[in-house]
Amino acid sequence: MPPPRTGLCLLLLGLVLGSVCVTLGSQAQANSTTDALNVLLIIVDDLRPSLGCYGDKLVRSPNIDQLASHSLLFQNAFVQQAVCAPSRVSFLTGRRPDTTRLYDFNSYWRVHAGNFSTIPQYFKDNGYVTMSVGKVFHPGISSNHSDDSPYSWSFPPYHPSSEKYENTKTCRGPDGELHANLLCPVDVVDVPEGTLPDKQSTEEAIRLLKKMKTSASPFFLAVGYHKPHIPFRYPKEFQKLYPLENITLAPDPEVPDGLPPVAYNPWMDIRQREDVQALNISVPYGPIPVDFQRKIRQSYFASVSYLDTQVGHLLSALDDLHLANSTIVAFTSDHVSSLRTNS
């Protein structure tokens, strides 16, 4: 693989990321640290290719589309496991779930599988300052309750303080009361702390970029965004981008004939949300009412557009700080979130 051009941006949606970044790490090792390119890795939670750059005519994602327009865009990338923790561990170590022995959320690969290095650890060992903002590794046991610190990061990872409100009663319902809903467009000034996790992560990432601008060492900055993962808690103005009359239903909403029960996910975490509980949907295959299906898809797309604005702020800061021409940008999702809405 030839060395990347200065300012080359890579848009990746899948597990291709691991092999690409390890190759880039090899190049960094070959150069002196003063010549090495910086790396900005953006990881998005549960993002489908519902983006303009992938041909979606409805979703408004101008900032990600702009990144894609001068990037290497992968059209045929696949995740190793359609669950956050094993997928992230897989592409951040470059190893299959069969090797990391992680298929759920309940083990730490360094203890249960092997002391495998990670991509940020490789950069750290080769003279980079490595930093983590937001959801990069999945929190909890699967990253040793530490986001794999101190192995992967030069200093403790940052998590936004407003994360703790994501699943609490902060959604104003039609009754005027606060609920813990699946669909949760909010007025940001009214939520606890007056902010949202992804907004805080963008602010922290920009602060770190400003700090690293004067550093003698190259940096590897990983920024993990929560949306469009459930609950769909986002600034309410983004909902207006997607009038319900413009929202189509999933083209394949039915449970496939002959599907083994073990292969079906009844989405019990979604059913626990107050607005979904009120629908009284039968378990496990009961259909969601059509009007609520449209609202789910509306809020997913609105969450994507909200996420896109955060990416835009981050990339604008990279330009404003004159770091764009010395920074490789890699963009990926951890796995694809299904918008099939039969249950």
Side-chain angles (χ1 to χ4, degrees):
M1 177 178 180
R5 299 186 302 276
T6 300
L8 177 67
C9 294
L10 305 177
L11 180 70
L12 303 103
L13 286 170
L15 294 184
V16 185
L17 177 64
S19 59
V20 172
C21 283
V22 169
T23 302
L24 296 174
S26 299
Q27 185 211 358
Q29 187 178 28
N31 295 340
S32 69
T33 55
T34 56
D35 296 330
L37 296 175
N38 304 309
V39 178
L40 172 61
L41 169 60
I42 303 171
I43 303 174
V44 182
D45 208 344
D46 282 13
L47 178 65
R48 298 159 50 88
S50 296
L51 300 166
C53 57
Y54 279 100
D56 194 300
K57 303 299 184 185
L58 177 63
V59 173
R60 299 189 186 186
S61 52
N63 297 292
I64 298 171
D65 296 345
Q66 172 64 20
L67 174 63
S69 70
H70 51 86
S71 302
L72 177 61
L73 177 67
F74 285 87
Q75 299 281 359
N76 196 28
F78 298 88
V79 299
Q80 300 275 24
Q81 183 88 1
V83 182
C84 294
S87 175
R88 289 167 185 258
V89 168
S90 181
F91 69 68
L92 287 168
T93 63
R95 298 174 188 268
R96 298 184 182 93
D98 286 343
T99 302
T100 64
R101 300 181 187 175
L102 180 64
Y103 305 98
D104 47 30
F105 304 93
N106 301 320
S107 66
Y108 179 43
W109 78 91
R110 294 189 191 273
V111 173
H112 295 280
N115 191 28
F116 306 131
S117 294
T118 67
I119 293 171
Q121 181 181 359
Y122 188 88
F123 278 91
K124 180 184 175 187
D125 291 346
N126 285 276
Y128 278 66
V129 176
T130 59
M131 301 165 287
S132 173
V133 172
K135 186 179 177 181
V136 178
F137 286 97
H138 190 85
I141 297 173
S142 62
S143 58
N144 201 34
H145 299 282
S146 67
D147 297 282
D148 195 46
S149 292
Y151 303 104
S152 288
W153 311 112
S154 299
F155 46 84
Y158 169 86
H159 287 281
S161 58
S162 61
E163 274 183 358
K164 58 181 172 289
Y165 304 112
E166 275 293 277
N167 296 298
T168 61
K169 294 178 182 289
T170 59
C171 314
R172 186 76 61 183
D175 58 0
E177 300 297 320
L178 294 176
H179 300 274
N181 287 344
L182 173 65
L183 311 182
C184 190
V186 298
D187 191 334
V188 175
V189 298
D190 290 340
V191 300
E193 300 187 27
T195 190
L196 295 171
D198 287 345
K199 292 171 69 69
Q200 287 186 289
S201 290
T202 299
E203 292 164 359
E204 176 64 9
I206 292 172
R207 186 190 73 80
L208 291 173
L209 288 175
K210 291 177 179 178
K211 177 180 178 181
M212 293 307 300
K213 179 177 171 59
T214 58
S215 173
S217 300
F219 66 80
F220 178 102
L221 172 60
V223 181
Y225 287 115
H226 285 262
K227 297 304 131 189
H229 192 288
I230 62 169
F232 300 128
R233 185 167 172 262
Y234 58 90
K236 64 182 182 181
E237 56 267 26
F238 289 94
Q239 190 179 50
K240 298 176 183 178
L241 297 175
Y242 302 97
L244 279 174
E245 60 267 24
N246 295 343
I247 304 298
T248 59
L249 298 177
D252 54 350
E254 304 302 325
V255 177
D257 291 338
L259 181 76
V262 71
Y264 184 80
N265 188 334
W267 301 109
M268 299 308 295
D269 53 346
I270 289 178
R271 293 170 184 271
Q272 293 170 8
R273 314 287 168 166
E274 291 181 38
D275 51 350
V276 178
Q277 283 183 344
L279 300 174
N280 197 27
I281 300 168
S282 62
V283 178
Y285 300 119
I288 291 176
V290 168
D291 61 339
F292 201 79
Q293 291 184 34
R294 293 186 192 278
K295 291 178 180 178
I296 290 175
R297 291 167 67 82
Q298 176 193 47
S299 277
Y300 182 88
F301 298 145
S303 297
V304 171
S305 291
Y306 162 54
L307 170 275
D308 180 79
T309 64
Q310 298 308 307
V311 173
H313 292 323
L314 182 57
L315 295 180
S316 291
L318 201 67
D319 283 329
D320 293 344
L321 293 167
H322 305 291
L323 289 169
N325 287 333
S326 58
T327 303
I328 296 165
V329 178
F331 179 99
T332 188
S333 171
D334 59 351
H335 61 87
V336 173
S337 171
S338 174
L339 286 191
R340 299 177 70 171
T341 48
N342 56 287
S343 69

